[in-house]
Amino acid sequence: MDLNIASIEIEPKRYTYKHVAKRLGEDRPASRYEEAVYDAQPTENFHYRPQWEPEFEIYDKGRTKIIMNDWYDLVDPRKFHYMTYVSTRASQNSASEQSFEFIEKRGLVTFIKDENLKKVYEFLTPLRHYAYGANMNNLCITDRAYGAAITSATLFYAEDSLGMAQHITKIILLLSENDITKLDDGKEAWLKCPKWQGIRKAIEDSFIEKDPMRLFVKQNIVFDGFVISLLINEFSKYLAKNDEVTIPMLTEFIVSWYEETTKWLDSVLKTMVNESIENKELLTNWIREDIEIIENAIKPLSTYSNDGDLLIADIKAELISRLNKCSLNL
């Protein structure tokens, strides 16, 4: 007996949500990222204006001087939504855990020179508090910015910044054999040590910035561009030149994270710059102002090297070169 089974292809009635299809077309399936981000922010039917800022709606484009025809142009080239973000960070953390386990198992901390260990406590421990400030600023951006394309990514950046603070804490506890007084000393240095007061003032002054895109540029592009370059990248290279490779292994997580994250930062900046001449002029002025602030604030923290001024100059030149590729003329 012959049995013929015919295959039937059933066309879906719709490929994605209606509000996403308005952007992509009815016949194009949407990615998970597009469904998670596009027009996810409410725009209608609010009960009342915020009592703390009655001049604005809950979600209001007027909170920033940057003007975009479509705020959903600020998409994330990494395509991070919750699942892809969490899975990416989990795999990165797993690799970092292996480094910690290897160092602890082999007792490599005991081979670190005392002068190198002292510099780690002096220049890395207080950085926990800077990272927590970056977390607070990005939560503020998430609260005040417009459009889920930017706010979803800044929320991830906020959690990453908190993760950096925790990662530094973990490094210090590993190096000090869980001596929590080292963390207390780092807090004391952040509050009172003269060389940390410039950067502390810069980060605390940023807490009162109400324009979310101004704060985005200040914290994520300029401040982090200097601080992570000087106190993570260059500091790790300095230790490696002084026969210390254990610390660079422990900080590699932060280095690789920032290399990935700059792709998103540069994409957002370039999109805003190319939107209009007014945006370009505004962003140029903001960045110049912030570079001057952080350049002066961070100079005392370059003293771990005999070539501190040269380090700052190189970091500034590299950042300006990177930002000029985003259609700026700094």
Side-chain angles (χ1 to χ4, degrees):
M1 180 179 69
D2 294 332
L3 181 63
N4 294 322
I5 300 177
S7 61
I8 300 175
E9 182 176 351
I10 301 176
E11 289 288 335
K13 289 186 177 181
R14 61 182 177 85
Y15 287 96
T16 186
Y17 301 105
K18 186 175 181 180
H19 66 278
V20 179
K22 286 181 179 179
R23 290 180 174 273
L24 307 180
E26 295 287 347
D27 300 328
R28 175 185 171 313
S31 68
R32 295 277 182 166
Y33 172 75
E34 291 166 335
E35 290 185 335
V37 168
Y38 278 135
D39 299 306
Q41 176 184 281
T43 57
E44 298 176 354
N45 302 323
F46 301 124
H47 293 291
Y48 52 82
R49 288 174 177 263
Q51 295 180 1
W52 57 93
E53 280 183 333
E55 68 272 23
F56 295 121
E57 296 286 357
I58 292 178
Y59 305 107
D60 201 314
K61 300 174 184 178
R63 282 195 169 97
T64 179
K65 293 180 180 179
I66 295 295
I67 297 176
M68 298 291 297
N69 182 55
D70 183 0
W71 282 92
Y72 286 90
D73 287 341
L74 304 180
V75 291
D76 185 349
R78 302 167 298 177
K79 307 299 181 186
F80 273 175
H81 55 88
Y82 180 79
M83 184 181 71
T84 52
Y85 168 74
V86 170
S87 62
T88 299
R89 293 293 178 260
S91 62
Q92 290 172 329
N93 186 63
S94 178
S96 177
E97 287 285 349
Q98 291 179 3
S99 296
F100 274 83
E101 291 174 4
F102 175 80
I103 291 168
E104 190 170 15
K105 183 178 180 181
R106 303 295 180 183
L108 298 184
V109 173
T110 59
F111 296 100
I112 300 176
K113 296 177 182 178
D114 288 341
E115 58 266 30
N116 287 336
L117 198 56
K118 182 180 178 181
K119 286 198 172 183
V120 170
Y121 294 144
E122 183 179 358
F123 289 94
L124 194 60
T125 312
L127 201 60
R128 300 165 59 240
H129 302 280
Y130 169 85
Y132 188 60
N135 164 265
M136 295 174 63
N137 274 337
N138 275 277
L139 289 176
C140 180
I141 298 167
T142 303
D143 175 45
R144 301 179 64 80
Y146 189 89
I150 189 68
T151 57
S152 61
T154 53
L155 179 58
F156 294 147
Y157 198 105
E159 298 312 305
D160 286 338
S161 298
L162 181 59
M164 296 308 112
Q166 294 172 337
H167 189 76
I168 294 170
T169 302
K170 189 176 178 181
I171 291 174
I172 300 306
L173 291 177
L174 173 64
L175 298 179
S176 66
E177 297 182 343
N178 293 319
D179 182 2
I180 61 173
T181 62
K182 297 298 183 186
L183 302 179
D184 294 334
D185 292 343
K187 179 181 178 181
E188 192 71 8
W190 176 257
L191 294 174
K192 297 180 180 179
C193 179
K195 66 171 164 279
W196 283 97
Q197 297 317 297
I199 192 171
R200 178 187 165 207
K201 183 180 187 305
I203 196 74
E204 290 182 359
D205 285 349
S206 70
F207 291 160
I208 63 172
E209 177 57 59
K210 291 185 176 296
D211 187 317
M213 303 316 295
R214 174 76 178 92
L215 189 55
F216 175 88
V217 169
K218 180 185 291 286
Q219 175 64 63
N220 298 347
I221 294 178
V222 180
F223 283 12
D224 280 359
F226 271 84
V227 173
I228 293 176
S229 295
L230 180 67
L231 295 175
I232 300 296
N233 294 6
E234 296 301 330
F235 186 56
S236 297
K237 292 177 184 177
Y238 166 83
L239 292 173
K241 290 177 182 177
N242 286 272
D243 304 320
E244 178 48 57
V245 295
T246 302
I247 307 303
M249 287 177 62
L250 296 174
T251 58
E252 177 59 27
F253 178 82
I254 303 176
V255 173
S256 60
W257 163 77
Y258 194 66
E259 287 176 352
E260 165 225 291
T261 304
T262 53
K263 298 176 183 177
W264 162 64
L265 295 174
D266 292 355
S267 174
V268 171
L269 179 62
K270 187 173 184 178
T271 302
M272 292 192 296
V273 169
N274 290 334
E275 179 75 12
S276 67
I277 296 296
E278 291 76 14
N279 279 1
K280 183 175 181 178
E281 292 177 352
L282 189 60
L283 289 163
T284 299
N285 291 334
W286 284 351
I287 290 171
R288 285 175 177 165
E289 179 183 332
D290 291 334
I291 285 177
E292 182 178 355
I293 291 171
I294 197 64
E295 183 181 8
N296 293 327
I298 208 172
K299 280 182 179 179
L301 295 173
S302 65
T303 53
Y304 62 79
S305 170
N306 293 329
D307 299 320
D309 290 341
L310 182 60
L311 276 180
I312 297 290
D314 288 345
I315 289 169
K316 178 180 178 180
E318 185 176 347
L319 178 63
I320 288 175
S321 175
R322 178 188 131 203
L323 298 184
N324 283 339
K325 293 178 182 177
C326 300
S327 303
L328 288 171
N329 295 311
L330 296 171

